[in-house]
Amino acid sequence: MDDYNVHLSRYTPASFRRKTLGEELAWLQSLREVERKSTERVEAAGVFRGVTKTHVDNAARKVIKERDVAMRWGWESLVESVLTWNGKVAVVSVGWSEEFIRACLRTANDQRNHGGGEGARIPWNIDNIDICANEVLGGPQGKMNRHFQDCSTAGDGGIWTAQDKRIVMAKITNERAIGSEAVVVYVGDSPTDLACLLGADVGICIRNEGSMTPEQKQLDTTLDRVGVNTEWIGPHASR
């Protein structure tokens, strides 16, 4: 966190002075160098040295079973509805890793099957969900991947910032046929989702009932500060 705090203290304009979307997106993009250095330190320390796919899968099963990671209610019916209408579902994350996210989905699917009885298993293949995230390569050197190593737009690096996510979303949505009536819906809950939320046809901010997480509060404050109006989705849910 030292690099981040130093960068935060030196960056101008400060958060309370950033009143436009452009200023906020510039701040978020400025964090790319901080994230790059953090990744390189993790690699140099060998944190993921020797890590295998099996290790990641086991870790995912553990956090789901112990509810350290919980799937939101209704996630499976939402995905099923999208796929039923020949839509496309994708997860875009600045976290680690693609395999971990997919293993969490598989484990949640298995738990649903075992707890719901006959016919409860999700009727679609989880591998049909595109997951775009950073990946732990492990191996003897404990390396992590560079998603944008051949992309001049983002430079050499992983999916680390809001703009990185926006680039990935653009690639996914550009695969739609020209003239398609498909609607791009993006669901997010953190500042790194800002560019995608505003770039989608419909942006939905997730906020926990009762008390928001720090990331949700930060996104909420940011949207208000730069003048982006939000409204409760409830009245639109049945449309």
Side-chain angles (χ1 to χ4, degrees):
M1 291 294 292
D2 288 346
D3 282 349
Y4 174 83
N5 289 330
V6 170
H7 182 70
L8 177 65
S9 67
R10 294 176 177 175
Y11 188 87
T12 57
S15 61
F16 70 93
R17 294 186 183 279
R18 295 196 294 270
K19 301 296 184 181
T20 69
L21 180 59
E23 289 175 332
E24 193 62 28
L25 290 176
W27 151 251
L28 291 170
Q29 185 61 13
S30 76
L31 294 172
R32 164 164 276 276
E33 183 66 9
V34 175
E35 296 297 337
R36 182 185 66 78
K37 289 181 178 179
S38 175
T39 298
E40 289 177 351
R41 280 196 301 272
V42 170
E43 290 178 321
V47 173
F48 293 113
R49 187 174 295 133
V51 170
T52 66
K53 179 179 180 296
T54 299
H55 291 138
V56 175
D57 289 348
N58 288 340
R61 283 195 289 271
K62 184 175 185 293
V63 297
I64 289 291
K65 289 177 181 178
E66 296 180 0
R67 298 193 63 79
D68 292 324
V69 173
M71 309 302 294
R72 289 189 178 275
W73 180 87
W75 71 275
E76 67 275 27
S77 59
L78 173 62
V79 173
E80 182 178 354
S81 296
V82 174
L83 294 178
T84 297
W85 287 93
N86 295 320
K88 186 171 187 175
V89 177
V91 176
V92 183
S93 175
V94 296
W96 307 88
S97 67
E98 176 182 337
E99 179 57 36
F100 180 81
I101 295 171
R102 195 175 298 283
C104 284
L105 292 174
R106 290 197 187 101
T107 301
N109 181 20
D110 291 340
Q111 284 190 344
R112 183 175 185 268
N113 182 40
H114 296 153
E118 184 67 24
R121 191 174 183 83
I122 295 173
W124 39 265
N125 189 343
I126 286 175
D127 289 332
N128 288 339
I129 298 177
D130 288 345
I131 299 177
C132 302
N134 303 304
E135 190 59 270
V136 175
L137 302 179
Q141 296 181 327
K143 293 291 185 179
M144 294 178 282
N145 78 338
R146 299 292 191 272
H147 185 86
F148 293 115
Q149 60 183 348
D150 297 321
C151 180
S152 59
T153 304
D156 181 12
I159 304 174
W160 295 334
T161 68
Q163 182 60 18
D164 295 342
K165 281 188 170 183
R166 181 69 181 89
I167 292 170
V168 174
M169 187 182 80
K171 182 179 184 301
I172 294 171
T173 56
N174 284 342
E175 294 174 357
R176 293 182 299 174
I178 296 177
S180 169
E181 296 181 357
V183 175
V184 177
V185 179
Y186 188 92
V187 181
D189 66 353
S190 79
T192 61
D193 294 310
L194 180 61
C196 289
L197 286 167
L198 298 178
D201 296 316
V202 178
I204 300 175
C205 301
I206 293 292
R207 295 171 183 170
N208 292 350
E209 294 184 7
S211 61
M212 291 188 285
T213 66
E215 291 79 11
Q216 291 170 353
K217 288 180 180 178
Q218 189 176 353
L219 177 60
D220 181 50
T221 300
T222 297
L223 289 170
D224 183 62
R225 175 162 42 79
V226 300
V228 176
N229 295 322
T230 59
E231 60 179 280
W232 184 46
I233 197 173
H236 309 280
S238 60
R239 292 185 181 178

